[in-house]
């Protein structure tokens, strides 16, 4: 049949505008991986949902989402320089909320962050070049989650000299992951100055003394995560069984980029896993406490005691 012979009314959706959009919104939220397909259904759908493609930016070895580089697809490897698609980034940068940049140059990172003023979840891994010039840009972002290696930002600091977490870029963080952490408390003691920090993860070498100091000094901390590669070989000197349920030891993830993206999409990442482990530990401790009191004949009213 000749397309021109089809009545114009059949080219127009018969659904009410609001209902049609609601249907697409349900599809996009339920199956975000299908958004690239949805945006080619019709121009109006592209207008509705193309910005959603830019909510998460990931650039490292392997998959790049969304396409950030002029004239390229979604594959990008190593630290080769490529031209950022500035026009596209200028248009959609304000929609970006989550960014992971791995194995990129500090100059490229600067370009991306300058056009993304609303990022609240940022991961910078394996950076090429000094990052000291990025600090003023980071201070303007509404960061709440940050994963980074401080040595890229504070290059002139001695191994045990305290990292200046009193700087404004850290003040609103609730979740902080430190890469290549060391076991020296003197290096991390200014973590105690972060007023909103509730979740801390250290990836590196830690010991029991560091754990104990962090728990005591960081009063607002709710979850403290350390990672290990093998349960039979835990880096540093620490106890596998921790007394404080806020302290959680997790096995290292295999694919860090995919794992980060999973969390950015609202699915379970190591932060959520740690929360579950903490709750399990508290429930077990409360159960033991109830059993102890019950065994001493203190009555059923004591069985409702909970650990705080």
């Amino acid at each position: 049949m000749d397309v021109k012979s089809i009545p114009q009314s059949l080219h127009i959706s018969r659904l009410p505008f609001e209902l049609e959009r609601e249907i697409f919104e349900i599809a996009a939220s339920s199956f975000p991986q299908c958004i690239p397909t949805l945006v080619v259904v019709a121009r109006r759908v592209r207008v509705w949902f193309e910005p959603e493609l830019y909510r998460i930016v990931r650039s490292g070895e392997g998959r790049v989402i969304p396409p950030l580089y002029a004239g390229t697809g979604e594959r990008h490897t190593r630290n080769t320089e490529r031209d950022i698609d500035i026009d596209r980034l200028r248009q959609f940068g304000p929609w970006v909320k989550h960014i992971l940049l791995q194995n990129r140059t500090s100059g490229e990172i600067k370009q991306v962050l300058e056009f993304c003023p609303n990022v609240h979840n940022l991961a910078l891994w394996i950076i090429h070049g000094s990052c000291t010039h990025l600090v003023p840009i980071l201070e303007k972002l509404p960061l709440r989650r940050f994963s980074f290696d401080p040595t890229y930002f504070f290059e002139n600091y001695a191994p045990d000299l305290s990292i200046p977490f009193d700087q404004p870029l850290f003040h609103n963080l609730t979740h902080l992951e430190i890469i290549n952490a060391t076991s020296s408390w003197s290096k991390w003691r200014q973590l105690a100055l972060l007023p909103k920090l509730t979740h801390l993860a250290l990836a590196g070498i830690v010991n029991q003394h560091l754990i104990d100091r962090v728990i005591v000094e960081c009063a607002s901390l709710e979850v403290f995560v350390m990672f290990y590669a093998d349960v039979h070989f835990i880096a540093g000197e620490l106890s596998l069984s921790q007394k404080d349920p806020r302290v959680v030891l997790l096995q290292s993830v295999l694919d860090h980029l995919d794992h980060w993206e999973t969390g950015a999409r609202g699915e379970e990442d190591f932060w959520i896993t740690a929360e579950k482990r903490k709750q399990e530990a508290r429930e077990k401790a409360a159960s033991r406490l109830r059993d102890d009191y019950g065994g001493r004949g203190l009555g059923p009213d004591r069985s409702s005691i909970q650990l705080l």
Side-chain angles (χ1 to χ4, degrees):
M1 179 184 295
D2 187 356
V3 175
K4 294 181 180 179
S5 66
I6 300 176
Q8 185 177 2
S9 60
L10 295 182
H11 290 287
I12 303 174
S13 172
R14 294 184 178 182
L15 291 174
F17 179 85
E18 295 79 5
L19 178 58
E20 182 187 42
R21 178 161 184 170
E22 183 177 355
I23 291 172
F24 276 103
E25 286 177 347
I26 293 173
S29 61
S30 301
F31 306 98
Q33 69 276 14
C34 295
I35 293 178
T37 302
L38 293 178
V39 298
V40 298
V41 170
R43 181 177 300 176
R44 62 186 180 279
V45 180
R46 187 179 189 89
V47 172
W48 294 340
F49 296 109
E50 188 172 22
E52 182 65 19
L53 293 174
Y54 291 82
R55 188 174 63 88
I56 300 172
V57 169
R58 162 183 164 173
S59 177
E61 294 188 6
R63 196 160 66 97
V64 175
I65 56 167
L68 286 178
Y69 307 97
T72 64
E74 65 171 20
R75 301 293 297 182
H76 193 190
T77 59
R78 301 300 176 185
N79 63 317
T80 55
E81 288 285 357
R82 289 190 176 178
D83 293 330
I84 297 288
D85 191 335
I86 296 298
D87 291 338
R88 185 184 297 238
L89 200 57
R90 181 182 289 111
Q91 180 181 0
F92 295 106
W95 294 89
V96 177
K97 306 297 183 183
H98 312 263
I99 293 180
L100 184 159
L101 298 174
Q102 181 210 40
N103 216 1
R104 315 272 26 103
T105 67
S106 60
E108 181 180 313
I109 293 171
K110 180 177 182 291
Q111 276 189 304
V112 173
L113 295 182
E114 284 179 334
F115 289 102
C116 302
N118 300 312
V119 174
H120 61 77
N121 178 18
L122 177 64
L124 301 177
W125 301 340
I126 315 177
I127 305 169
H128 298 271
S130 171
C131 293
T132 55
H133 66 289
L134 297 179
V135 172
I137 299 175
L138 296 177
E139 290 179 346
K140 297 177 183 178
L141 300 179
L143 286 182
R144 297 197 298 274
R145 298 189 176 204
F146 192 22
S147 174
F148 81 127
D149 182 343
T151 59
Y152 290 110
F153 290 81
F154 309 107
E155 297 175 339
N156 297 325
Y157 278 70
D160 291 333
L161 194 62
S162 180
I163 297 295
F165 286 110
D166 59 338
Q167 296 191 15
L169 77 93
F170 301 109
H171 286 178
N172 292 314
L173 293 181
T174 59
H175 294 61
L176 175 62
E177 180 185 20
I178 297 175
I179 310 298
N180 292 326
T182 64
S183 59
S184 173
W185 165 247
S186 62
K187 191 176 186 69
W188 313 114
R189 59 185 178 83
Q190 290 196 32
L191 287 171
L193 302 177
L194 302 185
K196 299 181 180 180
L197 186 66
T198 57
H199 293 64
L200 175 65
L202 298 182
I205 305 297
V206 299
N207 57 27
Q208 193 62 45
H209 174 71
L210 176 61
I211 293 174
D212 295 340
R213 289 300 299 270
V214 169
I215 287 296
V216 170
E217 302 293 343
C218 300
S220 61
L221 209 59
E222 298 175 7
V223 173
F224 183 18
V225 180
M226 273 74 56
F227 302 97
Y228 63 87
D230 190 306
V231 70
H232 300 296
F233 178 74
I234 298 180
E237 299 176 0
L238 55 88
S239 172
L240 182 60
S241 177
Q242 295 289 322
K243 295 180 180 179
D244 194 310
R246 293 175 296 171
V247 180
V248 179
L249 274 65
L250 296 178
Q251 190 164 14
S252 299
V253 299
L254 296 179
D255 193 322
H256 298 278
L257 281 81
D258 285 347
H259 185 84
W260 178 91
E261 185 181 336
T262 296
R265 297 194 182 281
E267 301 173 36
E268 183 169 343
D269 59 2
F270 73 83
W271 293 120
I272 295 178
T273 301
E275 287 278 7
K276 291 180 177 179
R277 296 281 183 87
K278 181 188 75 171
Q279 185 60 32
E280 291 172 0
R282 284 185 165 176
E283 290 174 355
K284 289 180 181 179
S287 177
R288 288 194 298 268
L289 188 60
R290 287 194 297 267
D291 292 342
D292 290 344
Y293 278 126
R296 297 173 186 175
L298 295 180
D301 58 322
R302 297 296 184 91
S303 64
S304 61
I305 294 176
Q306 295 183 349
L307 294 181
L308 299 178

